Amino acid sequence: MNHRRPENLELLSEAFGGQEIIESIFTGESLEVDGVEFVSGYVADSSAERFYIVKPMHLIDRYRDLAAFAAGGRIVELGIAEGGSAALLCLWADPATLVTVDNEPSPLTALDEFADAHGFVGRLRPFYGVDQADRDRLAEIMDAEFGADAIDLVIDDASHSYWPTRASFETLFPRVRPGGRYIIEDWEADIAMADSVRIALQDPTSPHHERARKGLAKAMGRPPQPATRVSMSRLILELVILAGGQSGAIADVSINKSFVSITRGESPLDLHGFRLDDHGVHGHRLLVERPAE
Ligand SMILES: C[S@@+](CC[C@H](N)C(=O)[O-])C[C@H]1O[C@@H](n2cnc3c(N)ncnc32)[C@H](O)[C@@H]1O
């Protein structure tokens, strides 16, 4: 079984009452690039010739554009999983350096063998056992790998949780070059999951109705839990507010159902002290209960 599944997917799938819905987005379809096969799935069985990539096919397609954007450049990825996205980015972008990070401590031999076979030794730089919320460690890696050179593209596909994602953003975004892009994947996972539950509960003919009903009954039987989880969509709204303000930090925010793309503005940002809270993202009362009409 897969040991690299992020904890929040467990929570979401448990709330839905089953694992199958999560699995259904991975179709098992595959594509081949330079003799390497990439299979849409989450299975701990990657090899240098055949990687599992934790994305549906339509999102893998979008990676072509991201890779073209950062071709030959400096890329940072958060979330290695089975190595599929890192290997694919190497083949499509031929980066000067791709740093990729995961909190899972065990190294993926498949990635090392892939780097060896395809000429990416020294350019594909995986770091294991690194939490994306660990600002000091992330900054240390960036300093060592890039020195004063700015990053062209960051892709955060790690925890999909508000606080760790925010910490990485505050650490890495000041290191992105003006015009460079910062991608946050799967920002909508909790919204989409909650909506799927709502739709399945409302429709007794839905194949997921019974599972959702049982999941809900189970959840209601539990003692009340303190509300500690913050939706990722809150971070996206904070970034939209930052883009609308006067900081010049963000030139553009583009959102689609799979990811948010934030383009770095021209203003210099403090490499070690950049904090969203210092830029008024909570000052507009946009993220509080709305008053009645
Ligand atoms: C969705 S998977 C990444 C999929 C991969 N990018 C791909 O497309 O094949 C998420 C990965 O993030 C890692 N992860 C989860 N929370 C993390 C955290 N706080 N810091 C670093 N990595 C984390 C998990 O161990 C997992 O390997």
Side-chain angles (χ1 to χ4, degrees):
M1 262 316 281
N2 185 0
H3 58 296
R4 290 173 186 260
R5 184 174 299 284
E7 185 195 359
N8 71 317
L9 278 190
E10 300 285 8
L11 292 177
L12 289 170
S13 69
E14 188 192 338
F16 203 83
Q19 193 64 16
E20 297 99 293
I21 303 300
I22 299 281
E23 301 297 344
S24 70
I25 64 169
F26 305 124
T27 55
E29 289 168 274
S30 67
L31 84 161
E32 199 187 301
V33 181
D34 290 358
V36 182
E37 191 185 5
F38 293 90
V39 184
S40 167
Y42 205 163
V43 184
D45 194 25
S46 285
S47 69
E49 300 79 34
R50 189 170 189 269
F51 281 95
Y52 283 93
I53 178 164
V54 189
K55 303 190 190 311
M57 286 312 273
H58 68 88
L59 181 51
I60 295 175
D61 265 354
R62 285 181 183 268
Y63 260 58
R64 274 182 217 276
D65 301 336
L66 294 178
F69 172 81
R74 286 175 285 275
I75 303 178
V76 175
E77 178 189 56
L78 305 174
I80 301 173
E82 310 310 328
S85 52
L88 187 60
L89 278 170
C90 280
L91 293 176
W92 273 347
D94 196 18
T97 307
L98 167 59
V99 170
T100 184
V101 166
D102 204 288
N103 63 354
E104 176 68 34
S106 46
L108 265 187
T109 28
L111 264 190
D112 293 340
E113 288 167 5
F114 164 83
D116 221 7
H118 292 266
F120 292 108
V121 174
R123 294 197 283 149
L124 170 55
R125 305 279 295 145
F127 291 84
Y128 302 95
V130 179
D131 195 303
Q132 74 168 149
D134 186 341
R135 297 169 192 269
D136 292 343
R137 181 70 184 119
L138 270 191
E140 188 179 75
I141 293 170
M142 297 304 130
D143 286 344
E145 295 298 315
F146 299 125
D149 294 334
I151 301 164
D152 296 287
L153 174 69
V154 177
I155 299 179
D156 181 351
D157 186 24
S159 70
H160 306 303
S161 301
Y162 175 83
W163 288 112
T165 305
R166 203 176 196 268
S168 304
F169 183 82
E170 290 176 335
T171 309
L172 299 178
F173 193 63
R175 295 169 182 267
V176 173
R177 67 166 165 84
R181 289 168 72 185
Y182 195 108
I183 307 295
I184 301 176
E185 275 191 34
D186 289 341
W187 67 276
E188 85 301 355
D190 49 2
I191 296 176
M193 185 62 72
D195 216 31
S196 305
V197 174
R198 181 182 62 75
I199 291 166
L201 283 172
Q202 280 171 351
D203 178 7
T205 66
S206 158
H208 309 305
H209 179 75
E210 200 45 30
R211 193 162 46 231
R213 205 184 57 75
K214 283 189 182 144
L216 181 67
K218 198 168 141 198
M220 287 178 74
R222 285 204 197 115
Q225 302 292 309
T228 50
R229 206 169 173 284
V230 185
S231 171
M232 273 284 287
S233 47
R234 182 178 180 99
L235 177 59
I236 308 316
L237 295 174
E238 288 171 352
L239 295 173
V240 169
I241 292 170
L242 179 63
Q246 300 291 352
S247 71
I250 292 179
D252 183 83
V253 180
S254 304
I255 305 177
N256 60 52
K257 206 166 148 46
S258 306
F259 61 72
V260 179
S261 168
I262 301 118
T263 303
R264 174 84 154 77
E266 297 287 335
S267 303
L269 298 175
D270 183 350
L271 276 197
H272 296 283
F274 173 62
R275 295 290 181 274
L276 293 175
D277 283 346
D278 295 338
H279 291 273
V281 296
H282 298 292
H284 300 272
R285 301 190 61 77
L286 289 174
L287 297 174
V288 296
E289 202 63 27
R290 70 181 168 197
E293 196 176 12

